[in-house]
Amino acid sequence: MVRDLRVLVVGSGGREHALALAISRDPAVADVHVAPGNPGTRTIATNHSVDPMDADAIAQLAIKLNIDLVVVGPEAPLVAGVADAVRAAGIACFGPTAAAAQIEGSKAFAKDVMAAAGVPTGDSRVCRTAEEVAAALDAFGPPYVVKDDGLASGKGVVVTEDRQAALEHAANCQQVVIEEYLDGPEVSLFAITDGTTVLPLQPAQDFKRVGDGDIGPNTGGMGAYTPLPWAPDDLVGEVQRNVLQPTVDEMKRRGTPFAGLLYAGLALTSRGVKVIEFNARFGDPETQALLARLQTPLGQLLHAAATGQLAAQPALAWAEGAAVAVVLGAEGYPQDPVIGAVIHGADGPLADGAHIIQAGTALDDQGRLLSAGGRVLAVVGTGADLAAARNAAYASIAQIRLSGSFYRSDIAQVAAESAGS
Ligand code: AMP
Ligand code: GLY
């Protein structure tokens, strides 16, 4: 068994705060560092003001701190090769190489991998010209799904009945993927993999639209919950067999093994489970909810994945009950978030079973907590079931005051009601 692990988490958002928090609770972890981190990670780890996009600087920091495991949170550093630089320095890294991160970095690449691996996904066409776009829109018909073929933080996708709006979104992108519309509820299923063995987490659901009732533009995610009482019992097994394992096998076959977190964004359509997208990292805010229930020590788990030892890892252990994460958005998010306002009430007391994960926050020179991004923080509630977890989250977020801020009031509501009936 590994001991006294020194871990460096790369990134500064809510996902990184949640990861650092769970890692810091692992008895085999001696020390947690974050680059650059946020005021939330500062309370549980040591922050270092190093640019997460600077691969050499991250590798140098890991060497200097005598780090045993680097965990790269966001997609942009992965696509930029931060994991490659860390591995080249001889340090274990949880996070795929730049080549493997293309599964998120390029929608066209992901479609190619899925086709080769026989993974079910929507029919799609890669388009470069306005003529190709128009032809593809008419071939698939409404609702139209137009995806920017590059990293867009979940905001590069437009789903619309309006053909003109679809054409306009495509005109703003260099290369787009036009896709068949997938009906049915969405599920996020994450798997930890060392490139060979695949260990799925429990399913979660996130809420991408900004407003209650799934109204308004897509965001990075306004809330999430786990588990999904309405999901089919065999969902995880089915996705493992038909999606996760074949994808990991295909990446290995191509000579670009994927080691890290493979995020399958799924639609449970009337014609079976289909992949909407892959991401190459933990989802945000699903991770905030999932890690509130994961009992398996996270530092050892990610270290096993980073060193090719997952086959020896026992099944993951989960707390009973449920977790719900509700995101506090800054005024104007996602179009034009207002930042720099003082946050009151984040130091509690919160409802039983609730905690705060910080995301877009900063400290001013008087030590006051300020908003510094569109998604400011998440309140995570846990409880015996979804209804109790929602109560904890909503009772707590109501105590936080930030001028102009807002949150969705319906995170996990339908699932809690259907579970309780
Ligand atoms: P993505 O960035 O690919 O996850 O897309 C963001 C969101 O757009 C997804 O979570 C879905 O809500 C929606 N979306 C993407 N692709 C499709 C599709 N083919 N059919 C229906 N909705 C989609
Ligand atoms: N929860 C959506 C994402 O992380 O992309």
Side-chain angles (χ1 to χ4, degrees):
M1 187 187 128
V2 294
R3 295 179 54 184
D4 298 332
L5 280 178
R6 298 172 59 80
V7 183
L8 171 63
V9 177
V10 177
S12 62
R15 160 187 46 220
E16 287 75 35
H17 185 187
L19 286 165
L21 180 63
I23 290 167
S24 73
R25 293 190 171 143
D26 181 337
V29 169
D31 231 356
V32 185
H33 298 265
V34 190
N38 65 35
T41 62
R42 211 176 87 133
T43 63
I44 47 157
T46 310
N47 285 352
H48 301 269
S49 59
V50 172
D51 179 0
M53 293 298 288
D54 186 337
D56 288 334
I58 295 292
Q60 286 306 319
L61 178 67
I63 293 169
K64 187 177 95 186
L65 296 170
N66 202 13
I67 292 295
D68 301 299
L69 171 68
V70 175
V71 178
V72 183
E75 60 273 25
L78 290 166
V79 170
V82 168
D84 306 68
V86 169
R87 287 197 188 91
I91 298 171
C93 187
F94 184 82
T97 61
Q102 282 304 305
I103 203 157
E104 170 165 6
S106 165
K107 307 258 182 207
F109 176 84
K111 287 289 186 189
D112 191 55
V113 170
M114 285 188 268
V119 169
T121 185
D123 285 343
S124 66
R125 290 192 200 171
V126 180
C127 303
R128 286 175 201 83
T129 67
E131 293 71 35
E132 287 172 1
V133 168
L137 292 177
D138 295 337
F140 291 123
Y144 304 107
V145 180
V146 183
K147 301 186 173 187
D148 192 352
D149 185 31
L151 287 184
S153 304
K155 288 168 262 179
V157 178
V158 162
V159 181
T160 177
E161 298 274 349
D162 180 345
R163 189 170 179 278
Q164 192 57 32
L167 286 168
E168 279 164 20
H169 181 60
N172 289 329
C173 312
Q174 283 217 323
Q175 172 168 302
V176 294
V177 176
I178 311 270
E179 194 172 284
E180 162 198 4
Y181 178 77
L182 300 176
D183 63 349
E186 288 179 41
V187 171
S188 302
L189 188 56
F190 302 167
I192 291 172
T193 173
D194 56 11
T196 303
T197 300
V198 174
L199 217 54
L201 307 191
Q202 291 201 346
Q205 190 172 50
D206 84 338
F207 293 74
K208 290 216 169 74
R209 302 280 185 152
V210 74
D212 280 4
D214 294 328
I215 304 296
N218 268 329
T219 69
M222 294 301 297
Y225 68 96
T226 184
L228 313 181
W230 51 269
D233 286 343
D234 60 348
L235 180 66
V236 175
E238 181 191 341
V239 175
Q240 161 110 348
R241 284 190 304 278
N242 298 338
V243 174
L244 299 167
Q245 191 70 55
T247 300
V248 167
D249 291 347
E250 170 63 16
M251 293 296 283
K252 190 173 172 180
R253 195 194 61 76
R254 290 177 177 224
T256 52
F258 185 100
L261 193 292
L262 181 62
Y263 167 142
L266 306 165
L268 309 194
T269 77
S270 44
R271 289 171 297 134
V273 176
K274 297 199 182 200
V275 174
I276 292 181
E277 61 160 352
F278 282 124
N279 292 319
R281 37 87 193 163
F282 282 95
D284 191 344
E286 297 95 313
T287 298
Q288 285 87 315
L290 283 162
L291 294 184
R293 295 188 49 242
L294 181 69
Q295 289 178 325
T296 303
L298 188 64
Q300 297 166 61
L301 176 63
L302 301 185
H303 188 263
T307 53
Q309 325 255 333
L310 267 193
Q313 178 72 31
L316 300 181
W318 298 90
E320 295 289 318
V324 174
V326 182
V327 169
L328 186 74
E331 178 177 2
Y333 179 72
Q335 293 89 345
D336 202 3
V338 177
I339 63 171
V342 179
I343 303 165
H344 297 280
D347 38 12
L350 304 176
D352 276 356
H355 63 273
I356 289 179
I357 296 291
Q358 294 189 30
T361 57
L363 292 174
D364 70 5
D365 48 17
Q366 296 161 50
R368 292 182 305 182
L369 192 64
L370 306 181
S371 57
R375 289 189 294 172
V376 178
L377 53 80
V379 177
V380 183
T382 58
D385 55 19
L386 283 174
R390 289 188 83 233
N391 286 342
Y394 279 110
S396 301
I397 203 167
Q399 297 171 30
I400 295 171
R401 281 167 294 125
L402 168 65
S403 173
S405 66
F406 68 96
Y407 52 87
R408 279 185 63 161
S409 69
D410 63 347
I411 305 300
Q413 182 174 8
V414 172
E417 283 167 3
S418 62
S421 63

